[in-house]
Amino acid sequence: MKAFKILAAALALAAGSLAAQAETITMASTTSTEQSGLFAHLLPAFKQASGIDVKVVAVGTGQAIDLARRGDADVLFVHDTAAEEKFVAEGFADKRYAVMYNDFVLIGPKSDPAAAKGKDIAAALKKVAAANAAFVSRGDKSGTDAAERRLWVQTGLGNAGQPLPSDRKGAGYKECGCGMGPALNMAASSGAYVLADRGTWLSFKNRADLAVLVEGDKRLFNQYGVMVVSPSKFPQLNNAGAQKFVDWVVSPAGQSTVASYKIGGEQLFFPNAGGL
């Protein structure tokens, strides 16, 4: 009987250990965090610290937010501050946490047929439109797409404060309805301009004749935020596991892991959970 009790206790302990090892959270995130290689660097460190696996659904920010609104993700990690704040205001998360930033860059052919190169992104887009130059837009309701649309408004080519119609962006403007990597591939194969986040650009291998033409404009700042999807709206989710991820990624250990991700010695994301 004693041996049986010992065996039963051992089996229970093993089962509990396996259950802990199997804990998983689902994260809805943007393609830039996935395609830049950040998550391949970040998530193993979180797994080592917590024992929790993270299943990533990488789509455009708009789609990621929609997934979270339906309760199909435990945690949301995206880059469209206005949309994130609305998500919180509507009760889908209790709080938004700043995590990190990088910037957007305008990529284009080294020959720069539209003469867009410089430090002013609005002036550059205006030149692209005037030249009817080829331009690949994400067109996928992602954070990058939202940023690009805001920047087109600032060209002054349309009515003040109103979205700029596609026909005012030049005859070469095309929407691909695709992620950042495919958009860059299309630009590389067709010699087109494209707005990209720097992280994905630095990790992009198929550059062909493309180069960074516009960078450094403060309007190209790209902030990322993370949120636990509301436990009151979706009590069936792994809210505790999601909170563990959020707490870790904004902690000194998580922020240090973000900062340590580099390609060719160049840092891709800059932690700012404690503010700029």
PDB file of all heavy atoms in Angstrom, residues 128-164:
ATOM      1  N   VAL A 128       6.905  61.333 -55.147  1.00  0.00           N
ATOM      2  CA  VAL A 128       6.571  60.012 -55.692  1.00  0.00           C
ATOM      3  C   VAL A 128       5.264  60.098 -56.479  1.00  0.00           C
ATOM      4  O   VAL A 128       5.149  59.580 -57.596  1.00  0.00           O
ATOM      5  CB  VAL A 128       6.451  58.963 -54.564  1.00  0.00           C
ATOM      6  CG1 VAL A 128       5.821  57.669 -55.078  1.00  0.00           C
ATOM      7  CG2 VAL A 128       7.827  58.664 -53.971  1.00  0.00           C
ATOM      8  N   ALA A 129       4.279  60.784 -55.920  1.00  0.00           N
ATOM      9  CA  ALA A 129       2.985  60.936 -56.595  1.00  0.00           C
ATOM     10  C   ALA A 129       3.131  61.746 -57.876  1.00  0.00           C
ATOM     11  O   ALA A 129       2.576  61.381 -58.926  1.00  0.00           O
ATOM     12  CB  ALA A 129       1.982  61.599 -55.655  1.00  0.00           C
ATOM     13  N   ALA A 130       3.880  62.852 -57.806  1.00  0.00           N
ATOM     14  CA  ALA A 130       4.045  63.723 -58.975  1.00  0.00           C
ATOM     15  C   ALA A 130       4.747  63.003 -60.118  1.00  0.00           C
ATOM     16  O   ALA A 130       4.460  63.248 -61.299  1.00  0.00           O
ATOM     17  CB  ALA A 130       4.822  64.975 -58.582  1.00  0.00           C
ATOM     18  N   ALA A 131       5.662  62.083 -59.777  1.00  0.00           N
ATOM     19  CA  ALA A 131       6.410  61.345 -60.801  1.00  0.00           C
ATOM     20  C   ALA A 131       5.655  60.111 -61.290  1.00  0.00           C
ATOM     21  O   ALA A 131       6.144  59.411 -62.181  1.00  0.00           O
ATOM     22  CB  ALA A 131       7.768  60.937 -60.242  1.00  0.00           C
ATOM     23  N   ASN A 132       4.483  59.846 -60.706  1.00  0.00           N
ATOM     24  CA  ASN A 132       3.740  58.614 -61.025  1.00  0.00           C
ATOM     25  C   ASN A 132       4.629  57.384 -60.851  1.00  0.00           C
ATOM     26  O   ASN A 132       4.538  56.418 -61.626  1.00  0.00           O
ATOM     27  CB  ASN A 132       3.158  58.661 -62.443  1.00  0.00           C
ATOM     28  CG  ASN A 132       2.049  59.682 -62.567  1.00  0.00           C
ATOM     29  OD1 ASN A 132       1.146  59.730 -61.739  1.00  0.00           O
ATOM     30  ND2 ASN A 132       2.127  60.522 -63.607  1.00  0.00           N
ATOM     31  N   ALA A 133       5.489  57.450 -59.850  1.00  0.00           N
ATOM     32  CA  ALA A 133       6.445  56.363 -59.615  1.00  0.00           C
ATOM     33  C   ALA A 133       5.758  55.159 -58.985  1.00  0.00           C
ATOM     34  O   ALA A 133       4.748  55.285 -58.288  1.00  0.00           O
ATOM     35  CB  ALA A 133       7.567  56.859 -58.700  1.00  0.00           C
ATOM     36  N   ALA A 134       6.314  53.981 -59.225  1.00  0.00           N
ATOM     37  CA  ALA A 134       5.774  52.753 -58.642  1.00  0.00           C
ATOM     38  C   ALA A 134       5.902  52.810 -57.124  1.00  0.00           C
ATOM     39  O   ALA A 134       6.978  53.113 -56.592  1.00  0.00           O
ATOM     40  CB  ALA A 134       6.516  51.549 -59.193  1.00  0.00           C
ATOM     41  N   PHE A 135       4.800  52.536 -56.436  1.00  0.00           N
ATOM     42  CA  PHE A 135       4.780  52.559 -54.978  1.00  0.00           C
ATOM     43  C   PHE A 135       3.923  51.396 -54.504  1.00  0.00           C
ATOM     44  O   PHE A 135       2.769  51.251 -54.909  1.00  0.00           O
ATOM     45  CB  PHE A 135       4.199  53.877 -54.462  1.00  0.00           C
ATOM     46  CG  PHE A 135       4.255  54.027 -52.955  1.00  0.00           C
ATOM     47  CD1 PHE A 135       5.278  54.751 -52.356  1.00  0.00           C
ATOM     48  CD2 PHE A 135       3.298  53.441 -52.141  1.00  0.00           C
ATOM     49  CE1 PHE A 135       5.342  54.886 -50.972  1.00  0.00           C
ATOM     50  CE2 PHE A 135       3.351  53.571 -50.757  1.00  0.00           C
ATOM     51  CZ  PHE A 135       4.377  54.292 -50.171  1.00  0.00           C
ATOM     52  N   VAL A 136       4.502  50.544 -53.657  1.00  0.00           N
ATOM     53  CA  VAL A 136       3.775  49.398 -53.099  1.00  0.00           C
ATOM     54  C   VAL A 136       3.285  49.763 -51.707  1.00  0.00           C
ATOM     55  O   VAL A 136       4.082  50.065 -50.818  1.00  0.00           O
ATOM     56  CB  VAL A 136       4.662  48.144 -53.028  1.00  0.00           C
ATOM     57  CG1 VAL A 136       3.894  46.994 -52.366  1.00  0.00           C
ATOM     58  CG2 VAL A 136       5.125  47.728 -54.415  1.00  0.00           C
ATOM     59  N   SER A 137       1.968  49.738 -51.522  1.00  0.00           N
ATOM     60  CA  SER A 137       1.373  49.996 -50.216  1.00  0.00           C
ATOM     61  C   SER A 137       0.898  48.681 -49.612  1.00  0.00           C
ATOM     62  O   SER A 137       0.376  47.825 -50.323  1.00  0.00           O
ATOM     63  CB  SER A 137       0.181  50.950 -50.370  1.00  0.00           C
ATOM     64  OG  SER A 137      -0.498  51.101 -49.145  1.00  0.00           O
ATOM     65  N   ARG A 138       1.052  48.540 -48.307  1.00  0.00           N
ATOM     66  CA  ARG A 138       0.560  47.332 -47.640  1.00  0.00           C
ATOM     67  C   ARG A 138      -0.948  47.158 -47.881  1.00  0.00           C
ATOM     68  O   ARG A 138      -1.417  46.076 -48.201  1.00  0.00           O
ATOM     69  CB  ARG A 138       0.837  47.409 -46.132  1.00  0.00           C
ATOM     70  CG  ARG A 138       2.305  47.374 -45.739  1.00  0.00           C
ATOM     71  CD  ARG A 138       2.799  45.963 -45.517  1.00  0.00           C
ATOM     72  NE  ARG A 138       2.075  45.290 -44.444  1.00  0.00           N
ATOM     73  CZ  ARG A 138       2.453  45.265 -43.162  1.00  0.00           C
ATOM     74  NH1 ARG A 138       3.540  45.893 -42.785  1.00  0.00           N
ATOM     75  NH2 ARG A 138       1.762  44.592 -42.262  1.00  0.00           N
ATOM     76  N   GLY A 139      -1.728  48.198 -47.626  1.00  0.00           N
ATOM     77  CA  GLY A 139      -3.166  48.140 -47.846  1.00  0.00           C
ATOM     78  C   GLY A 139      -3.847  47.039 -47.058  1.00  0.00           C
ATOM     79  O   GLY A 139      -4.849  46.483 -47.507  1.00  0.00           O
ATOM     80  N   ASP A 140      -3.341  46.733 -45.859  1.00  0.00           N
ATOM     81  CA  ASP A 140      -3.850  45.586 -45.096  1.00  0.00           C
ATOM     82  C   ASP A 140      -4.329  45.967 -43.694  1.00  0.00           C
ATOM     83  O   ASP A 140      -4.502  45.113 -42.847  1.00  0.00           O
ATOM     84  CB  ASP A 140      -2.770  44.513 -44.986  1.00  0.00           C
ATOM     85  CG  ASP A 140      -1.534  44.990 -44.211  1.00  0.00           C
ATOM     86  OD1 ASP A 140      -1.414  46.212 -43.957  1.00  0.00           O
ATOM     87  OD2 ASP A 140      -0.698  44.149 -43.837  1.00  0.00           O
ATOM     88  N   LYS A 141      -4.555  47.260 -43.457  1.00  0.00           N
ATOM     89  CA  LYS A 141      -5.014  47.750 -42.157  1.00  0.00           C
ATOM     90  C   LYS A 141      -4.021  47.431 -41.033  1.00  0.00           C
ATOM     91  O   LYS A 141      -4.398  47.267 -39.881  1.00  0.00           O
ATOM     92  CB  LYS A 141      -6.399  47.185 -41.816  1.00  0.00           C
ATOM     93  CG  LYS A 141      -7.476  47.627 -42.793  1.00  0.00           C
ATOM     94  CD  LYS A 141      -8.847  47.118 -42.387  1.00  0.00           C
ATOM     95  CE  LYS A 141      -9.914  47.594 -43.356  1.00  0.00           C
ATOM     96  NZ  LYS A 141     -11.263  47.099 -42.998  1.00  0.00           N
ATOM     97  N   SER A 142      -2.769  47.327 -41.385  1.00  0.00           N
ATOM     98  CA  SER A 142      -1.710  47.087 -40.400  1.00  0.00           C
ATOM     99  C   SER A 142      -1.292  48.412 -39.769  1.00  0.00           C
ATOM    100  O   SER A 142      -1.726  49.491 -40.190  1.00  0.00           O
ATOM    101  CB  SER A 142      -0.499  46.456 -41.088  1.00  0.00           C
ATOM    102  OG  SER A 142       0.021  47.353 -42.060  1.00  0.00           O
ATOM    103  N   GLY A 143      -0.417  48.340 -38.756  1.00  0.00           N
ATOM    104  CA  GLY A 143       0.119  49.552 -38.162  1.00  0.00           C
ATOM    105  C   GLY A 143       0.921  50.362 -39.161  1.00  0.00           C
ATOM    106  O   GLY A 143       0.858  51.599 -39.181  1.00  0.00           O
ATOM    107  N   THR A 144       1.666  49.665 -40.016  1.00  0.00           N
ATOM    108  CA  THR A 144       2.442  50.349 -41.058  1.00  0.00           C
ATOM    109  C   THR A 144       1.516  51.008 -42.065  1.00  0.00           C
ATOM    110  O   THR A 144       1.745  52.145 -42.500  1.00  0.00           O
ATOM    111  CB  THR A 144       3.376  49.351 -41.764  1.00  0.00           C
ATOM    112  OG1 THR A 144       4.219  48.736 -40.787  1.00  0.00           O
ATOM    113  CG2 THR A 144       4.234  50.038 -42.818  1.00  0.00           C
ATOM    114  N   ASP A 145       0.450  50.320 -42.436  1.00  0.00           N
ATOM    115  CA  ASP A 145      -0.532  50.869 -43.366  1.00  0.00           C
ATOM    116  C   ASP A 145      -1.184  52.115 -42.773  1.00  0.00           C
ATOM    117  O   ASP A 145      -1.356  53.127 -43.467  1.00  0.00           O
ATOM    118  CB  ASP A 145      -1.585  49.800 -43.679  1.00  0.00           C
ATOM    119  CG  ASP A 145      -2.623  50.270 -44.683  1.00  0.00           C
ATOM    120  OD1 ASP A 145      -2.227  50.759 -45.755  1.00  0.00           O
ATOM    121  OD2 ASP A 145      -3.832  50.139 -44.404  1.00  0.00           O
ATOM    122  N   ALA A 146      -1.545  52.062 -41.492  1.00  0.00           N
ATOM    123  CA  ALA A 146      -2.157  53.221 -40.835  1.00  0.00           C
ATOM    124  C   ALA A 146      -1.190  54.404 -40.819  1.00  0.00           C
ATOM    125  O   ALA A 146      -1.586  55.549 -41.076  1.00  0.00           O
ATOM    126  CB  ALA A 146      -2.581  52.861 -39.413  1.00  0.00           C
ATOM    127  N   ALA A 147       0.091  54.125 -40.533  1.00  0.00           N
ATOM    128  CA  ALA A 147       1.091  55.193 -40.522  1.00  0.00           C
ATOM    129  C   ALA A 147       1.250  55.786 -41.918  1.00  0.00           C
ATOM    130  O   ALA A 147       1.322  57.010 -42.078  1.00  0.00           O
ATOM    131  CB  ALA A 147       2.425  54.644 -40.027  1.00  0.00           C
ATOM    132  N   GLU A 148       1.303  54.919 -42.921  1.00  0.00           N
ATOM    133  CA  GLU A 148       1.462  55.407 -44.293  1.00  0.00           C
ATOM    134  C   GLU A 148       0.301  56.313 -44.701  1.00  0.00           C
ATOM    135  O   GLU A 148       0.494  57.371 -45.309  1.00  0.00           O
ATOM    136  CB  GLU A 148       1.565  54.219 -45.254  1.00  0.00           C
ATOM    137  CG  GLU A 148       1.804  54.649 -46.694  1.00  0.00           C
ATOM    138  CD  GLU A 148       1.296  53.633 -47.697  1.00  0.00           C
ATOM    139  OE1 GLU A 148       1.650  52.445 -47.591  1.00  0.00           O
ATOM    140  OE2 GLU A 148       0.522  54.032 -48.583  1.00  0.00           O
ATOM    141  N   ARG A 149      -0.923  55.918 -44.344  1.00  0.00           N
ATOM    142  CA  ARG A 149      -2.098  56.721 -44.694  1.00  0.00           C
ATOM    143  C   ARG A 149      -2.053  58.089 -44.014  1.00  0.00           C
ATOM    144  O   ARG A 149      -2.429  59.105 -44.616  1.00  0.00           O
ATOM    145  CB  ARG A 149      -3.383  55.970 -44.345  1.00  0.00           C
ATOM    146  CG  ARG A 149      -3.606  54.752 -45.230  1.00  0.00           C
ATOM    147  CD  ARG A 149      -4.830  53.941 -44.826  1.00  0.00           C
ATOM    148  NE  ARG A 149      -4.893  52.700 -45.568  1.00  0.00           N
ATOM    149  CZ  ARG A 149      -5.382  52.575 -46.795  1.00  0.00           C
ATOM    150  NH1 ARG A 149      -5.871  53.643 -47.427  1.00  0.00           N
ATOM    151  NH2 ARG A 149      -5.394  51.409 -47.412  1.00  0.00           N
ATOM    152  N   ARG A 150      -1.601  58.124 -42.772  1.00  0.00           N
ATOM    153  CA  ARG A 150      -1.459  59.411 -42.082  1.00  0.00           C
ATOM    154  C   ARG A 150      -0.427  60.287 -42.789  1.00  0.00           C
ATOM    155  O   ARG A 150      -0.611  61.505 -42.917  1.00  0.00           O
ATOM    156  CB  ARG A 150      -1.035  59.187 -40.625  1.00  0.00           C
ATOM    157  CG  ARG A 150      -2.117  58.593 -39.735  1.00  0.00           C
ATOM    158  CD  ARG A 150      -1.744  58.693 -38.261  1.00  0.00           C
ATOM    159  NE  ARG A 150      -0.540  57.941 -37.918  1.00  0.00           N
ATOM    160  CZ  ARG A 150      -0.543  56.677 -37.513  1.00  0.00           C
ATOM    161  NH1 ARG A 150      -1.681  56.007 -37.415  1.00  0.00           N
ATOM    162  NH2 ARG A 150       0.585  56.067 -37.203  1.00  0.00           N
ATOM    163  N   LEU A 151       0.647  59.673 -43.255  1.00  0.00           N
ATOM    164  CA  LEU A 151       1.703  60.442 -43.917  1.00  0.00           C
ATOM    165  C   LEU A 151       1.244  60.984 -45.273  1.00  0.00           C
ATOM    166  O   LEU A 151       1.603  62.111 -45.646  1.00  0.00           O
ATOM    167  CB  LEU A 151       2.953  59.572 -44.086  1.00  0.00           C
ATOM    168  CG  LEU A 151       3.648  59.192 -42.768  1.00  0.00           C
ATOM    169  CD1 LEU A 151       4.711  58.128 -43.011  1.00  0.00           C
ATOM    170  CD2 LEU A 151       4.259  60.415 -42.103  1.00  0.00           C
ATOM    171  N   TRP A 152       0.455  60.225 -46.001  1.00  0.00           N
ATOM    172  CA  TRP A 152      -0.077  60.718 -47.283  1.00  0.00           C
ATOM    173  C   TRP A 152      -0.942  61.967 -47.045  1.00  0.00           C
ATOM    174  O   TRP A 152      -0.928  62.905 -47.846  1.00  0.00           O
ATOM    175  CB  TRP A 152      -0.887  59.642 -47.979  1.00  0.00           C
ATOM    176  CG  TRP A 152      -0.094  58.661 -48.791  1.00  0.00           C
ATOM    177  CD1 TRP A 152       0.076  57.331 -48.540  1.00  0.00           C
ATOM    178  CD2 TRP A 152       0.625  58.925 -50.006  1.00  0.00           C
ATOM    179  NE1 TRP A 152       0.868  56.761 -49.508  1.00  0.00           N
ATOM    180  CE2 TRP A 152       1.213  57.704 -50.425  1.00  0.00           C
ATOM    181  CE3 TRP A 152       0.834  60.068 -50.781  1.00  0.00           C
ATOM    182  CZ2 TRP A 152       1.987  57.597 -51.587  1.00  0.00           C
ATOM    183  CZ3 TRP A 152       1.608  59.968 -51.935  1.00  0.00           C
ATOM    184  CH2 TRP A 152       2.178  58.753 -52.326  1.00  0.00           C
ATOM    185  N   VAL A 153      -1.716  61.968 -45.960  1.00  0.00           N
ATOM    186  CA  VAL A 153      -2.558  63.133 -45.645  1.00  0.00           C
ATOM    187  C   VAL A 153      -1.696  64.381 -45.496  1.00  0.00           C
ATOM    188  O   VAL A 153      -2.075  65.482 -45.908  1.00  0.00           O
ATOM    189  CB  VAL A 153      -3.370  62.879 -44.354  1.00  0.00           C
ATOM    190  CG1 VAL A 153      -4.052  64.165 -43.872  1.00  0.00           C
ATOM    191  CG2 VAL A 153      -4.417  61.795 -44.586  1.00  0.00           C
ATOM    192  N   GLN A 154      -0.495  64.208 -44.937  1.00  0.00           N
ATOM    193  CA  GLN A 154       0.381  65.339 -44.674  1.00  0.00           C
ATOM    194  C   GLN A 154       1.087  65.882 -45.916  1.00  0.00           C
ATOM    195  O   GLN A 154       1.786  66.886 -45.841  1.00  0.00           O
ATOM    196  CB  GLN A 154       1.402  64.942 -43.604  1.00  0.00           C
ATOM    197  CG  GLN A 154       0.743  64.671 -42.259  1.00  0.00           C
ATOM    198  CD  GLN A 154       1.715  64.154 -41.207  1.00  0.00           C
ATOM    199  OE1 GLN A 154       2.874  64.559 -41.179  1.00  0.00           O
ATOM    200  NE2 GLN A 154       1.247  63.267 -40.347  1.00  0.00           N
ATOM    201  N   THR A 155       0.893  65.233 -47.064  1.00  0.00           N
ATOM    202  CA  THR A 155       1.474  65.756 -48.310  1.00  0.00           C
ATOM    203  C   THR A 155       0.737  66.991 -48.801  1.00  0.00           C
ATOM    204  O   THR A 155       1.267  67.732 -49.635  1.00  0.00           O
ATOM    205  CB  THR A 155       1.419  64.693 -49.427  1.00  0.00           C
ATOM    206  OG1 THR A 155       0.044  64.364 -49.707  1.00  0.00           O
ATOM    207  CG2 THR A 155       2.187  63.438 -49.044  1.00  0.00           C
ATOM    208  N   GLY A 156      -0.497  67.205 -48.334  1.00  0.00           N
ATOM    209  CA  GLY A 156      -1.282  68.345 -48.794  1.00  0.00           C
ATOM    210  C   GLY A 156      -1.907  68.138 -50.159  1.00  0.00           C
ATOM    211  O   GLY A 156      -2.420  69.086 -50.766  1.00  0.00           O
ATOM    212  N   LEU A 157      -1.893  66.901 -50.649  1.00  0.00           N
ATOM    213  CA  LEU A 157      -2.450  66.619 -51.974  1.00  0.00           C
ATOM    214  C   LEU A 157      -3.968  66.477 -51.974  1.00  0.00           C
ATOM    215  O   LEU A 157      -4.589  66.412 -53.034  1.00  0.00           O
ATOM    216  CB  LEU A 157      -1.821  65.333 -52.538  1.00  0.00           C
ATOM    217  CG  LEU A 157      -0.332  65.409 -52.854  1.00  0.00           C
ATOM    218  CD1 LEU A 157       0.219  64.030 -53.216  1.00  0.00           C
ATOM    219  CD2 LEU A 157      -0.076  66.396 -53.994  1.00  0.00           C
ATOM    220  N   GLY A 158      -4.559  66.419 -50.790  1.00  0.00           N
ATOM    221  CA  GLY A 158      -6.012  66.284 -50.694  1.00  0.00           C
ATOM    222  C   GLY A 158      -6.599  67.324 -49.771  1.00  0.00           C
ATOM    223  O   GLY A 158      -5.962  68.340 -49.450  1.00  0.00           O
ATOM    224  N   ASN A 159      -7.826  67.090 -49.326  1.00  0.00           N
ATOM    225  CA  ASN A 159      -8.472  67.995 -48.392  1.00  0.00           C
ATOM    226  C   ASN A 159      -7.857  67.824 -47.008  1.00  0.00           C
ATOM    227  O   ASN A 159      -7.585  66.706 -46.571  1.00  0.00           O
ATOM    228  CB  ASN A 159      -9.974  67.703 -48.337  1.00  0.00           C
ATOM    229  CG  ASN A 159     -10.655  67.955 -49.668  1.00  0.00           C
ATOM    230  OD1 ASN A 159     -10.293  68.881 -50.399  1.00  0.00           O
ATOM    231  ND2 ASN A 159     -11.644  67.143 -49.997  1.00  0.00           N
ATOM    232  N   ALA A 160      -7.660  68.930 -46.320  1.00  0.00           N
ATOM    233  CA  ALA A 160      -6.990  68.918 -45.017  1.00  0.00           C
ATOM    234  C   ALA A 160      -7.665  67.956 -44.044  1.00  0.00           C
ATOM    235  O   ALA A 160      -8.876  68.008 -43.843  1.00  0.00           O
ATOM    236  CB  ALA A 160      -6.968  70.321 -44.421  1.00  0.00           C
ATOM    237  N   GLY A 161      -6.868  67.055 -43.475  1.00  0.00           N
ATOM    238  CA  GLY A 161      -7.359  66.137 -42.468  1.00  0.00           C
ATOM    239  C   GLY A 161      -8.148  64.959 -42.991  1.00  0.00           C
ATOM    240  O   GLY A 161      -8.555  64.095 -42.216  1.00  0.00           O
ATOM    241  N   GLN A 162      -8.356  64.888 -44.292  1.00  0.00           N
ATOM    242  CA  GLN A 162      -9.138  63.803 -44.883  1.00  0.00           C
ATOM    243  C   GLN A 162      -8.224  62.760 -45.518  1.00  0.00           C
ATOM    244  O   GLN A 162      -7.154  63.100 -46.040  1.00  0.00           O
ATOM    245  CB  GLN A 162     -10.095  64.351 -45.953  1.00  0.00           C
ATOM    246  CG  GLN A 162     -11.136  65.311 -45.403  1.00  0.00           C
ATOM    247  CD  GLN A 162     -12.029  64.665 -44.375  1.00  0.00           C
ATOM    248  OE1 GLN A 162     -12.565  63.583 -44.582  1.00  0.00           O
ATOM    249  NE2 GLN A 162     -12.170  65.328 -43.228  1.00  0.00           N
ATOM    250  N   PRO A 163      -8.613  61.472 -45.504  1.00  0.00           N
ATOM    251  CA  PRO A 163      -7.804  60.442 -46.169  1.00  0.00           C
ATOM    252  C   PRO A 163      -7.571  60.810 -47.630  1.00  0.00           C
ATOM    253  O   PRO A 163      -8.473  61.339 -48.298  1.00  0.00           O
ATOM    254  CB  PRO A 163      -8.665  59.179 -46.040  1.00  0.00           C
ATOM    255  CG  PRO A 163      -9.530  59.435 -44.852  1.00  0.00           C
ATOM    256  CD  PRO A 163      -9.822  60.906 -44.869  1.00  0.00           C
ATOM    257  N   LEU A 164      -6.368  60.546 -48.101  1.00  0.00           N
ATOM    258  CA  LEU A 164      -6.023  60.878 -49.479  1.00  0.00           C
ATOM    259  C   LEU A 164      -6.475  59.755 -50.410  1.00  0.00           C
ATOM    260  O   LEU A 164      -6.070  58.602 -50.238  1.00  0.00           O
ATOM    261  CB  LEU A 164      -4.514  61.083 -49.607  1.00  0.00           C
ATOM    262  CG  LEU A 164      -4.016  61.605 -50.956  1.00  0.00           C
ATOM    263  CD1 LEU A 164      -4.532  63.014 -51.203  1.00  0.00           C
ATOM    264  CD2 LEU A 164      -2.492  61.589 -51.006  1.00  0.00           C
TER     265      LEU A 164
END
